[in-house]
Amino acid sequence: MGVGMARNLAKVGLLHGLWNRSADKAHALGAETGAHIATDPAALAADNDVVVICVSADADVLGVVDALLPGAHPGLIVIDCSTVSAGAAREASARLARRGAAFLDCPVSGGVEGARDGILAIMCGGTAEAFEAARPVLEAMGRTITHMGPTGYGQSTKATNQIMCAGVIQAVAEAMAFAKAEGLPLEKVIETLGKGAGSSWYFVNRAPFMARGSFPAGFRVRLHDKDLGICHDMAAVHGVELPVVEVTRGHYRQLMESGHGDEDISTIFQLKDAMFSPKAS
Amino acid sequence: MGVGMARNLAKVGLLHGLWNRSADKAHALGAETGAHIATDPAALAADNDVVVICVSADADVLGVVDALLPGAHPGLIVIDCSTVSAGAAREASARLARRGAAFLDCPVSGGVEGARDGILAIMCGGTAEAFEAARPVLEAMGRTITHMGPTGYGQSTKATNQIMCAGVIQAVAEAMAFAKAEGLPLEKVIETLGKGAGSSWYFVNRAPFMARGSFPAGFRVRLHDKDLGICHDMAAVHGVELPVVEVTRGHYRQLMESGHGDEDISTIFQLKDAMFSPKAS
C-alpha cells in the first residue's frame, strides 16, 4: 500500500524523501518520482517535517520509530498508517514526544486499490494541532479523513471496524450456506434481501462471490486474521475475549491451513457450506 | 400485523370477508371496513377465491388450514403471511391440494409499520400460476413482491434473512461494546464506519440505539427469537446446527429472562457491554 500512498504524495509535490527496508524498492520509486533516497530513517526524519510510515505489526512500527529517533526534532510529525494496536500507537507517541516530535496513528481502510487511487478512509488519533498540520499530507492519500480523538483512537476505530467485518462475514456466510442448502436461487435471494434490514455491504458485495463459489481477494483472510489478532490483544487489555472475533480466528486458521489464506474473507462461506449435508428434502 | 394488511385490502375493495379467533376483533374491523364476518374459516373459504392468513407458528397455520378445508374448492388460493417453517408450508400446500386449492407461502418483512403502510417486502413460494393470480392481493399489502420459487421458498428466504439479522446484530453489538470500552466517541464512529465495508443496515440504524443505551422496539427480541427457533428447526432437517443462530438464541434467552424481551434486538449490546470491565487505560 505504501507505494500507492507515496505516488499520491509525489503527485502533489509532497514526497521529498524515501526509505525502505528493501533498497531496490526505494530506488525504483525514487527514479520514478524524483524523490531523494535517505540513507536511513533518522536522516529522513532530520530532513523533513512529516514522515509517513506504513508497515505491518506493533514491533515494526516501534522499530521504525526507534530508527527515526536520532533525527527526530521539535515540529516533526510522524504519521503511522499501519494497522497496529492502540497501545503500540501510544508507545510510539511517547517515544517521539521525548524528542519534541508529534505522532498521529492513522490506520486506513480501502485496500491497495484505495491507496493507489488516493481514496482511502483514514481514521486519525493524536492532538488536534498535529492533525490540522498534517491535513495536506492526509488529503493527498485519502478521501474521508476523520480525527477520532487522542493518540490510539485511530487504531481503536479501525479495530472496531475489523470486529464488525468479522461478525458480518459470519452472518452472510451462514445465511448464504443455509439458503444454498434450502435450494434457493441465490442471485434472487441477494437481490431481494439486499434491500432489507438484514443487509450489509458484505452481503451486497460479497454474497455474489458465495453464490458463484469463487473468492478473489478482496480482503485477504491472512490480513484480516492479522487484524483480528490485534483486536484480540486490545480486548485482552480489558480482560475480555470477543466471541465473534475468536470464532472467526478459528475459522481463519482452518482456512489458512487448507490453502485459502490469500482468498477474500468471503471464502469462510466454504466452511459453513461444508456443514450441510446434501439437501434433505 | 393482520389488521394493517386487512385495512390495505379494504382500501382497494379486496376485503370481502373476515374471520378472527377473537370475535371482538373481527367485529371491530368489520364495522370499520364494511367486510362481512364469516362464521368460521370454512365459510370464508367457500365464499371467496383468495384467503389471507396471518398467524404465529407452524401449528397455527396448519390449524387454520384444516379449519378452511371443508370450504376449500378448486380455484381457491390460500396466502399465508405468517413466518413459519418451509416444512409447514409444504404440509399446508399438500392438504389444500387434495381439495384442488392452491397455497402460497408469503412471509413478509417490514413489521407492523410496513403492514400499516402497505410497504411490506413479501417473499413468495408456490406455483407461478397461483402467484400471478394472487398478485393484486399481494400488491395491495406490500411494495416489493418476489416469487422465490416453489412452495416453501418464501419461508426459506425469510429464514435466510433472519439468520443474517442475528449475525449482523452480533457483529454490531460486539464492535460497539469494544468501541465504548476503548472510550471512542460513538456517534463519530457510527458516522465514519457507516460509510465503509464493515457497515450494514443494523449498524447505521441501530448502533445509535447502542450509543444512547436505549432500545425501543423495533424488532422485538421475543419475535426474532421465535423466528430463530424456526431457523433452528429448518437447519435440523439438514442435520445441522447454525452456530450464529444458536449463540444468538442463548443471548435472547438471557435477555428475555431479565425482562428485555420486548426491546429491540439491538439490546443484545447490553450483554456485550457487560463483558467489559471499566476502561483499563
Side-chain angles (χ1 to χ4, degrees):
Chain A
M1 294 186 63
V3 175
M5 295 157 81
R7 283 191 178 126
N8 285 317
L9 288 170
K11 268 184 212 157
V12 295
L14 285 173
L15 188 70
H16 302 147
L18 278 175
W19 183 83
N20 193 281
R21 279 172 290 191
S22 315
D24 285 358
K25 287 191 188 170
H27 282 285
L29 196 59
E32 180 192 323
T33 59
H36 168 74
I37 312 299
T39 50
D40 56 39
L44 203 62
D47 292 346
N48 290 281
D49 296 322
V50 176
V51 173
V52 180
I53 302 174
C54 191
V55 292
S56 275
D58 284 15
D60 300 320
V61 170
L62 294 175
V64 174
V65 165
D66 285 343
L68 286 170
L69 279 182
H73 52 86
L76 175 70
I77 302 173
V78 176
I79 298 175
D80 177 34
C81 292
S82 320
T83 293
V84 297
S85 73
R90 285 190 282 267
E91 179 57 32
S93 182
R95 292 183 193 180
L96 284 159
R98 278 177 226 130
R99 310 245 342 164
F103 178 85
L104 292 170
D105 53 303
C106 298
V108 302
S109 92
V112 173
E113 297 76 11
R116 183 194 61 205
D117 301 338
I119 56 168
L120 294 166
I122 312 184
M123 296 149 267
C124 309
T127 67
E129 197 188 352
F131 175 74
E132 287 308 328
R135 196 187 273 279
V137 173
L138 297 168
E139 285 179 349
M141 301 187 296
R143 188 158 58 187
T144 315
I145 293 138
T146 313
H147 183 222
M148 296 305 304
T151 306
Y153 276 39
Q155 298 297 352
S156 295
T157 304
K158 178 79 192 274
T160 300
N161 188 63
Q162 304 313 76
I163 294 166
M164 205 145 58
C165 289
V168 174
I169 204 70
Q170 288 281 347
V172 174
E174 188 158 311
M176 285 293 287
F178 173 84
K180 184 181 166 197
E182 290 284 302
L184 291 174
L186 299 180
E187 300 291 354
K188 198 179 260 191
V189 168
I190 296 167
E191 194 191 319
T192 303
L193 302 186
K195 297 167 199 151
S199 193
S200 57
W201 188 94
Y202 268 101
F203 183 62
V204 170
N205 293 282
R206 295 295 179 257
F209 288 14
M210 300 177 191
R212 290 195 291 269
S214 156
F215 310 95
F219 187 13
R220 288 168 203 269
V221 166
R222 200 177 299 291
L223 295 179
H224 195 203
D225 183 65
K226 185 214 112 184
D227 292 353
L228 293 185
I230 295 166
C231 298
H232 168 91
D233 294 345
M234 289 175 70
V237 174
H238 301 278
V240 168
E241 271 213 346
L242 298 167
V244 169
V245 168
E246 297 311 322
V247 166
T248 308
R249 291 176 81 206
H251 286 150
Y252 285 173
R253 256 188 306 276
Q254 250 183 287
L255 287 164
M256 289 187 290
E257 280 164 13
S258 54
H260 299 284
D262 286 312
E263 291 178 2
D264 184 74
I265 62 170
S266 51
T267 191
I268 208 168
F269 169 79
Q270 298 195 74
L271 297 182
K272 302 272 188 179
D273 187 40
M275 298 190 311
F276 285 92
S277 44
K279 202 186 167 201
S281 69
Chain B
M1 295 187 64
V3 175
M5 295 157 81
R7 283 190 178 126
N8 285 317
L9 288 170
K11 269 184 211 158
V12 295
L14 286 173
L15 188 71
H16 302 146
L18 277 175
W19 181 82
N20 193 285
R21 279 172 291 190
S22 315
D24 284 358
K25 287 190 189 172
H27 283 285
L29 196 60
E32 178 192 323
T33 59
H36 168 73
I37 312 297
T39 50
D40 56 37
L44 203 62
D47 292 346
N48 290 281
D49 297 323
V50 176
V51 173
V52 180
I53 302 174
C54 191
V55 293
S56 274
D58 284 16
D60 300 318
V61 169
L62 294 175
V64 174
V65 164
D66 285 344
L68 286 170
L69 279 182
H73 51 88
L76 174 69
I77 302 173
V78 176
I79 297 175
D80 177 34
C81 293
S82 320
T83 292
V84 296
S85 72
R90 285 189 282 267
E91 179 57 31
S93 182
R95 292 183 192 179
L96 285 159
R98 280 177 225 128
R99 311 244 341 162
F103 178 85
L104 292 170
D105 52 302
C106 297
V108 302
S109 91
V112 174
E113 298 77 11
R116 181 194 62 206
D117 301 338
I119 57 168
L120 294 166
I122 312 183
M123 296 149 269
C124 309
T127 66
E129 196 187 352
F131 175 74
E132 288 307 328
R135 195 186 272 279
V137 174
L138 297 168
E139 285 178 348
M141 302 188 295
R143 187 157 61 185
T144 314
I145 293 137
T146 312
H147 183 222
M148 297 304 303
T151 306
Y153 275 40
Q155 297 298 352
S156 295
T157 303
K158 177 80 191 273
T160 300
N161 189 63
Q162 303 313 75
I163 294 166
M164 206 145 59
C165 288
V168 174
I169 204 69
Q170 288 281 348
V172 173
E174 189 158 311
M176 286 293 287
F178 173 84
K180 184 181 166 195
E182 290 283 303
L184 292 174
L186 298 181
E187 299 291 354
K188 197 179 261 192
V189 168
I190 296 167
E191 194 192 319
T192 303
L193 302 186
K195 298 168 198 149
S199 193
S200 57
W201 187 94
Y202 268 102
F203 182 62
V204 171
N205 293 283
R206 295 296 180 254
F209 288 14
M210 301 178 190
R212 292 194 290 269
S214 155
F215 311 94
F219 187 13
R220 288 168 202 269
V221 166
R222 201 176 296 292
L223 296 179
H224 195 202
D225 183 66
K226 185 215 112 184
D227 292 353
L228 293 185
I230 295 166
C231 298
H232 168 93
D233 294 346
M234 288 175 71
V237 174
H238 300 278
V240 168
E241 270 212 345
L242 297 167
V244 169
V245 168
E246 296 311 322
V247 166
T248 307
R249 292 176 80 206
H251 287 149
Y252 285 173
R253 257 188 305 276
Q254 249 184 287
L255 287 164
M256 289 187 290
E257 279 164 14
S258 55
H260 299 284
D262 286 311
E263 292 177 1
D264 184 74
I265 61 169
S266 51
T267 192
I268 207 168
F269 169 79
Q270 298 196 74
L271 297 182
K272 302 271 189 181
D273 187 39
M275 296 191 312
F276 285 92
S277 44
K279 200 185 170 202
S281 68

